[in-house]
Amino acid sequence: MRVGDGGTEGKLPDVGTTIFTLMSRRAAELGALNIGQGFPDYPVDPRLAGALAEAVAEGHNQYAPMEGSVALREAIAAKLRTSHRIEVDPLAEITVTCGATEAIYSAIQAVVGHGDEAIVFDPAYDSYDPAIRLAGGRAVHIPLAPPRFRYDWDRVAAAITPRTRLVILNTPLNPACTVARAGDLVALAALLRDRPITLLADEVYEHVIYDGRRHQSALAHAELRAKSFVVYSFGKTLHATGWRTGYCVAPAALTRELRKVHQFNTFSIAAPLQAAIARYLPKHPECWQGLAGFFEAKRDRFLQALTGSGFGAHPAEGSYFQLLDYSAIAPDAGDLEFARRLLEEGGVATIPLSPFYLEPPRLPFVRVCVAKQDATLDEAARRLRAFEDRAAR
Ligand code: GLN
């Protein structure tokens, strides 16, 4: 791709528009039901909306501190004390960012340099690889083995070189809907021991974890915590993805490096949003304590509505999402083709998995988002069944 009149070569010639944007845009054009991109279709808690209106009225309308407002960082530290039983210094170890995506981007720019390598696990969230390349590094992709997407730590050990600077671990894992086991963190810690490798732990779905499983946080693992950027999202936790407010927890030395990038990237995050969350979060711990049950009920409702259909599913272990196996309906279709047909003929937008791979295996899965009103999930299941009936004829 050539950009600009001067014929300048862009830095990401092979990158197009994200699959999330493509599917959402096409769904809007077609008036389809969008259960692809991960965002709720129900309102935020009115008390959170009220806190935002108050913050604006009270004058929280100028630049917030670069690191994040002190009130919000203190509220985050208090929340981490309850949710992870850990002490974090709100001033030195927490940075508020423009969503988790900015935290991920800024952390990568902070530690990956020219010629460095960063290990990612495929299917990998789509922002990791371009962010590594923009830093001048190379992403080393290690596929997780379907159908259960487990880690092969011997393979990771074999992929580590003297140039490895970063490993990115996402749990619960978007888009595979799996979660890391305690043993995974132990194995990872052993691999990183005595090596100059930082961990970037993407834990935005920390509270969306099902069937009594426990979230394995890098923050709760003392050895990993000392070498990790751990990234979270209020968009996910407060059902407000459009607020674009996330944060990164890291030891003071790593936080200093992160902030050097953050200050020239987004500089600081919307002041009234921070004020509103700082006010709401300490008063409403149920907002995060209840998330697992809330989404588990939605996952179960959706799977129940598809029982007996040709769509197969292992119940998601965590995240906003559920994978559907369509191999009984269209055994020969690739996932991009199947998702396109489902959208154009079935009126349902989903997300195929192959865009999350460097070398996509043949995987008969599409990802659906269960962070939707029950009526939306019911209608989606009805359309999926109707699509299957037509496909069978
Ligand atoms: N995190 C969202 C998802 O996985 C997508 C966000 C985006 O479109 N960049 O669906």
Side-chain angles (χ1 to χ4, degrees), residues 20 36-38 125 174 205 236 321 367:
F20 307 119
Q37 193 178 28
Y125 189 62
N174 176 17
Y205 299 104
K236 302 296 172 337
F321 307 108
R367 190 199 78 173

Side-chain angles (χ1 to χ4, degrees), residues 21 36 57 62 120 143 145 168 206 208 210 228 252 257 285 362 374 376:
T21 300
Q62 309 307 330
V120 302
I168 306 183
E206 60 175 333
V208 189
Y210 304 133
S228 296
E257 297 307 311
R362 257 192 103 74
D374 289 347
T376 307

